[in-house]
Amino acid sequence: MRSLLCAAGAAGLLMSGAVAPAAADEPDGFRISDHRITESSGLIASRTHPGVYWTHNDSDDGPYVYAVDSRTGRTVATVTLRGIGDPRDVEAISIGPDGNIYVGDIGDNLDGTWDHVWIYRFPEPKQLRDQTVTATQFDVKYADGPRDAEALMVHPKTGRVYIASKKQGGGGALYAAPEQLSTSRTNVFRKVAPIDLWVTDGSFSPDGTRLILRSYFGARMYAWQDNRPKDLGSVGVPVQQQGESVSFTPDGRTLMFGSEGANSPVEPVGLSGNQLPESAAGQGPDNGKNGSGSSGDDTTLSPGLIKAGLVLVLATVVVTGLRRVFRRKG
């Protein structure tokens, strides 16, 4: 029996490693080693510091944002925000074309009953060191009533802010801010499109032509056309403890998927075909024709999933064989 359990455990490990293998030209994944970061809930690649990703904890952490070096997994700067209230449920982070970092205090632990949420904005620091910065705070409401949300994205060309709500009350949706956020009045976000996904994070590609939205166990890619999303199909997501975050790499060719938990992993998934941003298409060795992303059909299996299925079949054969051996000995 112990042998059977060992075989099953080995199969599980092989399967988890086979779901989303990184291609040779993809960046390496990393682990967030800072013991303070146990609920990494948002992720965005720095526009100023190559190899650095900004992240933050979920709730009950305070007004802190962390810069993590993807080469080492170590925190290289802790930014403390002043000039804002007490954060309630920080869920998302993005960077705009103005060079500002936007932090979304947009979660709602009361299942969509808070009458307003907040966005904080501050310039991305030019130097990576521990520092305190003054942030601007914006009040946010939704035109169709309170929502629980975990994804905030700033379009890298227009600077418009978008929020994707979680699936509740008939489904999730993408909401757009006014063209410019205001500190003198409440900023009303209006529904742009329905989103049939339990969204935990999202990100625009650096050129603004693609939008990725992820859930705990899956993700979908959208082409961004006429300020609206056009569904391009599913994207393979690594098996993670609690999938909470996603960011494009600066070249737009790879997605970095993050998870909550201590020493949490950030794992790469390469894009291909029509899921590649327009500026990245044709730049890779496959010229955007082949790779790990699907091309709009949910039934298309990624190579990782195929490998996982083969491992499962192999494990079943091994376990069946061991059972027969034990029966003969009995």
Side-chain angles (χ1 to χ4, degrees), residues 5 25 35 50 55 75 82 84 96 103-104 130 147 164 169 174 179 182 198 212 231 271 278 285 290 297 302 321:
L5 292 174
D25 58 343
H35 69 276
T55 189
T75 298
R82 66 185 171 201
I84 64 173
V103 178
D130 293 351
R147 301 282 154 181
L174 185 68
E179 288 189 11
S182 172
W198 196 277
I212 183 70
D231 196 344
L271 295 172
E278 292 177 6
N290 300 298
D297 184 355
S302 69

Side-chain angles (χ1 to χ4, degrees), residues 89-290:
D89 193 357
V90 178
E91 292 286 356
I93 190 167
S94 188
I95 298 180
D98 53 5
N100 285 318
I101 293 178
Y102 293 71
V103 178
D105 191 357
I106 56 175
D108 190 338
N109 290 328
L110 300 179
D111 296 324
T113 57
W114 283 327
D115 63 353
H116 71 282
V117 291
W118 300 301
I119 294 173
Y120 313 126
R121 185 183 71 191
F122 65 96
E124 181 174 14
K126 291 182 172 57
Q127 295 182 340
L128 291 176
R129 56 179 176 80
D130 293 351
Q131 56 194 289
T132 298
V133 302
T134 300
T136 303
Q137 177 172 308
F138 302 96
D139 291 347
V140 170
K141 288 186 177 182
Y142 302 94
D144 53 359
R147 301 282 154 181
D148 185 19
E150 295 189 7
L152 175 146
M153 299 76 58
V154 183
H155 194 274
K157 301 300 182 183
T158 67
R160 197 161 198 166
V161 182
Y162 296 84
I163 292 175
S165 69
K166 296 184 84 170
K167 192 173 182 179
Q168 66 181 64
L174 185 68
Y175 292 83
E179 288 189 11
Q180 292 186 341
L181 295 177
S182 172
T183 57
S184 62
R185 63 180 183 274
T186 299
N187 297 273
V188 179
F189 279 58
R190 302 186 183 280
K191 186 175 180 179
V192 173
I195 300 293
D196 189 20
L197 193 69
W198 196 277
V199 180
T200 60
D201 200 17
S203 182
F204 279 109
S205 61
D207 67 358
T209 64
R210 296 292 182 269
L211 170 67
I212 183 70
L213 295 175
R214 78 159 299 174
S215 66
Y216 294 117
F217 305 110
R220 299 195 73 81
M221 183 68 73
Y222 301 85
W224 193 250
Q225 298 177 350
D226 300 323
N227 298 319
R228 295 178 63 86
K230 177 183 177 182
D231 196 344
L232 295 178
S234 61
V235 177
V237 174
V239 176
Q240 296 178 317
Q241 175 180 326
Q242 184 173 331
E244 286 279 352
S245 61
V246 65
S247 172
F248 280 88
T249 53
D251 64 3
R253 299 189 60 83
T254 304
L255 298 172
M256 302 296 283
F257 287 94
S259 172
E260 286 194 358
N263 198 33
S264 60
V266 178
E267 301 175 78
V269 171
L271 295 172
S272 62
N274 66 351
Q275 293 191 342
L276 276 168
E278 292 177 6
S279 63
Q283 294 181 10
D286 63 358
N287 291 324
K289 296 179 181 179
N290 300 298

Side-chain angles (χ1 to χ4, degrees), residues 234 293-302 305:
S234 61
S294 75
S295 58
D297 184 355
D298 272 345
T299 61
T300 301
L301 295 178
S302 69
L305 291 177

